[in-house]
């Protein structure tokens, strides 16, 4: 009976130890969307400030690309232009990983998680985000590390972009 209790106690301790190491990873993954608005393209989701590697791979070869020394970081800023969107990234060092700094929508083929894209109606934006455009036709939303800017002209979305806050 004592051996049985020791075995159960050991198993419980091991289980609790493993859970204490794994739980932060599980909860971080589940709450990723809570950190800000995210962009999804070809089954790859990114938030502003997250690594860009998977999105760059999923998007394929850009139409155009610019690279310049960053004025804010020790690395580089890159702009990749794709058919449907423009991806802005930065690095913290000359050879470091790229992180998402911004995304600008170019066509109606890409949408936010809430279903808003170029050509969406003003009412769709109000329904999705609960905000009306200001006197300049802009809707600005902030969530976590992300600013979402939506420009509305003639009651339709004419521009949309995600920015790192």
């Amino acid at each position: 009976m004592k051996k049985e209790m020791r075995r159960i106690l050991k198993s419980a301790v091991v289980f609790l130890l493993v859970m204490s190491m794994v739980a932060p990873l599980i909860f971080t993954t589940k709450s990723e969307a809570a950190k800000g608005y995210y962009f999804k393209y070809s089954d790859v989701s990114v938030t502003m400030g997250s690594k860009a590697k998977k999105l760059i791979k999923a998007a394929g070869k850009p139409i155009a690309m610019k690279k310049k020394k960053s004025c804010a970081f020790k690395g580089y800023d890159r702009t990749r232009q794709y058919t449907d969107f423009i991806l802005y990234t930065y690095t913290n060092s000359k050879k470091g990983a790229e992180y998402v700094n911004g995304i600008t929508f170019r066509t109606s083929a890409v949408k936010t998680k809430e279903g808003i894209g170029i050509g969406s109606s003003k009412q769709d934006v109000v329904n999705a985000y609960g905000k009306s455009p200001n006197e300049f036709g802009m809707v600005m939303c902030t969530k976590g590390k992300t600013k979402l800017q939506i420009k509305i002209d003639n009651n339709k979305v004419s521009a949309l972009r995600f920015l790192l806050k």
Side-chain angles (χ1 to χ4, degrees):
M1 184 77 163
K2 275 188 170 181
K3 283 186 177 182
E4 177 88 18
M5 285 300 285
R6 283 185 182 159
R7 188 179 64 75
I8 291 171
L9 187 59
K10 279 183 181 178
S11 295
V13 168
V14 168
F15 174 77
L16 289 172
L17 210 86
V18 168
M19 285 307 294
S20 70
M21 290 185 283
V22 173
L25 298 174
I26 293 169
F27 294 120
T28 299
T29 303
K30 286 184 179 179
S31 68
E32 188 67 28
K35 290 182 180 178
Y37 297 107
Y38 65 88
F39 176 72
K40 186 173 182 178
Y41 182 79
S42 216
D43 293 327
V44 174
S45 296
V46 295
T47 57
M48 298 303 103
S50 67
K51 288 188 177 181
K53 185 176 183 176
K54 288 181 182 178
L55 179 58
I56 291 168
K57 184 176 181 180
K61 186 177 179 181
I63 297 167
M65 183 173 145
K66 293 179 186 176
K67 176 181 166 183
K68 66 178 181 173
K69 190 165 174 51
S70 178
C71 60
F73 304 100
K74 292 182 180 178
Y76 294 96
D77 293 331
R78 291 180 177 87
T79 303
R80 288 180 174 83
Q81 183 176 330
Y82 298 98
T83 302
D84 296 322
F85 62 95
I86 300 170
L87 173 64
Y88 305 93
T89 64
Y90 68 93
T91 60
N92 287 319
S93 63
K94 289 186 178 186
K95 294 184 181 181
E98 289 183 63
Y99 297 92
V100 179
N101 197 28
I103 296 170
T104 300
F105 288 30
R106 298 185 70 217
T107 70
S108 61
V110 287
K111 307 237 185 273
T112 66
K113 178 187 141 237
E114 296 78 14
I116 303 301
I118 304 292
S120 294
S121 73
K122 172 184 164 183
Q123 191 58 51
D124 289 339
V125 171
V126 172
N127 293 344
Y129 299 106
K131 291 186 174 187
S132 294
N134 63 22
E135 64 272 18
F136 304 108
M138 295 295 296
V139 175
M140 312 256 235
C141 303
T142 302
K143 185 177 178 184
K145 296 181 187 179
T146 307
K147 286 184 193 177
L148 174 60
Q149 296 178 334
I150 303 170
K151 174 73 170 137
I152 298 177
D153 290 308
N154 299 319
N155 292 320
K156 297 278 184 193
V157 173
S158 60
L160 190 149
R161 67 182 173 171
F162 291 106
L163 296 169
L164 181 62
K165 186 167 106 173

